[in-house]
Amino acid sequence: MSSSSEENLPKKIGRYELRRVLGEGASGIVHRAYDPIMDRVVAIKSAKADSLSAEQIQLVIDEFRHEARIAGKYAHENIVGIYDVIEANGLDHIVMEHVAGRAVTEYLASIGPMAPETVLPIVQKCAVGLAYVHYHGIIHRDIKPGNILYHHAGNLVKIMDFSIAHEIDKPGERQNGTLAYMAPEHFDTSRRITALTDIFALGATMYRMLVKRYPFTNDDTVSQILYAHQTPVSEIRSDVPREVNDLVERAMAKDDIDRFQSAAEFAYAIENVLARHYPEVLNATNADSYMTL
């Protein structure tokens, strides 16, 4: 963050003392902050009011409230916790767990494709987190590298951003999500969007972590998602075991019946591959049980 940004940083949001900017996008900004009452560091997500119209601000606030209602009910070690939604300066702000780590996209940008023995534990922990939210009837709908926080030293992995998540038994906007990771059923009105949709997105995320490139190109991406097959990971990287490639292939299967039938099954399959190919990694990370809910 530049010195000018530091100078313009507000001192407080409600009772929370702002320390620095952790990240920002087109519509939102996240601060590292300190809660003097609870004596803990938190993260606070706010709308960028100075660059949005009143209508856009309201849309962001609606997303904040939706995210808090969905994710604020649950606590799991592989999900970023939401503590509260507060009103300050005429805006709503989400107060969240502060996570020591970076988004996986930042790792990809700095180091390129990630080693299989690094990717597998990250994806396994994401699958465990998804198994938990699916058990509670929630679909995330936007699994991607940018929504996964990772800290290699602490073996810490957490899913964040439930802004477009919804209950499994309720319809959501069919084409909401990030195109590069969206499953075929997003674009086929004869099919339902289910928990298996998150599994496809996690498979596409795993693909990108392993090879850095997206599974499908920008040339008529929707048609590729529906009908084309991504270039297998094993054809791009010779150092990736065939069984790792097969995990991606099954997670990204076009038809529901050919995918892992639950996030728990996906997590269990990853553990088996880790045990066969990288037992030292499995032991070092003390991987969570696939039955953790």
Side-chain angles (χ1 to χ4, degrees):
M1 186 170 61
S2 67
S3 58
S4 60
S5 296
E6 288 280 7
E7 292 170 1
N8 295 328
L9 186 69
K11 301 300 183 185
K12 298 180 75 174
I13 293 179
R15 74 172 190 255
Y16 299 95
E17 301 167 6
L18 302 188
R19 299 293 170 81
R20 64 185 178 89
V21 174
L22 294 174
E24 57 185 300
S27 61
I29 184 167
V30 180
H31 292 95
R32 187 178 190 268
Y34 174 68
D35 180 348
I37 293 179
M38 300 298 292
D39 188 25
R40 65 182 176 188
V41 175
V42 298
I44 299 181
K45 183 160 65 172
S46 310
K48 294 178 70 173
D50 57 345
S51 61
L52 301 176
S53 67
E55 183 179 2
Q56 289 171 322
I57 289 173
Q58 188 57 54
L59 286 173
V60 173
I61 289 174
D62 289 345
E63 283 189 355
F64 284 2
R65 292 175 180 174
H66 174 77
E67 179 176 5
R69 282 194 297 269
I70 291 287
K73 299 175 184 177
Y74 308 112
H76 188 275
E77 63 181 318
N78 299 125
I79 296 170
V80 174
I82 293 181
Y83 300 143
D84 200 1
V85 177
I86 62 169
E87 192 278 332
N89 306 319
L91 296 172
D92 283 359
H93 309 264
I94 294 183
V95 183
M96 305 179 296
E97 174 187 8
H98 177 265
V99 178
R102 297 186 292 164
V104 168
T105 45
E106 295 184 43
Y107 284 90
L108 288 171
S110 61
I111 68 173
M114 301 169 74
E117 59 267 35
T118 300
V119 172
L120 287 170
I122 295 174
V123 176
Q124 191 271 343
K125 288 176 182 290
C126 288
V128 169
L130 286 176
Y132 174 81
V133 296
H134 292 166
Y135 175 81
H136 288 283
I138 302 299
I139 313 174
H140 185 280
R141 288 290 299 271
D142 201 18
I143 296 296
K144 59 184 179 182
N147 282 339
I148 298 169
L149 292 174
Y150 169 57
H151 193 292
H152 69 282
N155 297 317
L156 181 149
V157 177
K158 287 182 181 281
I159 298 169
M160 63 178 178
D161 195 349
F162 283 73
S163 57
I164 62 171
H166 65 82
E167 295 176 22
I168 290 174
D169 59 356
K170 293 182 179 178
E173 290 291 332
R174 179 165 287 277
Q175 294 189 19
N176 265 6
T178 302
L179 182 59
Y181 308 94
M182 291 171 76
E185 55 266 31
H186 281 284
F187 311 103
D188 184 345
T189 56
S190 69
R191 297 175 64 178
R192 292 181 61 243
I193 292 174
T194 69
L196 301 187
T197 305
D198 280 344
I199 292 173
F200 183 98
L202 185 56
T205 295
M206 185 176 178
Y207 184 98
R208 180 135 193 260
M209 291 167 70
L210 288 166
V211 301
K212 194 175 180 179
R213 70 176 71 171
Y214 294 101
F216 306 104
T217 69
N218 289 329
D219 183 19
D220 198 3
T221 307
V222 172
S223 179
Q224 291 181 63
I225 290 171
L226 284 168
Y227 307 114
H229 191 280
Q230 67 276 2
T231 302
V233 169
S234 57
E235 291 186 16
I236 302 172
R237 288 186 62 176
S238 59
D239 63 321
V240 174
R242 184 72 192 186
E243 282 185 274
V244 176
N245 176 82
D246 292 346
L247 290 171
V248 177
E249 295 288 304
R250 187 172 175 192
M252 292 186 66
K254 302 293 186 188
D255 295 328
D256 288 355
I257 192 66
D258 296 325
R259 283 181 214 159
F260 294 105
Q261 293 302 290
S262 70
E265 183 186 8
F266 192 6
Y268 181 56
I270 294 172
E271 285 190 19
N272 283 337
V273 173
L274 276 168
R276 283 192 290 273
H277 291 275
Y278 310 103
E280 70 288 353
V281 174
L282 183 62
N283 293 333
T285 58
N286 191 24
D288 300 296
S289 168
Y290 72 97
M291 290 303 293
T292 301
L293 293 174

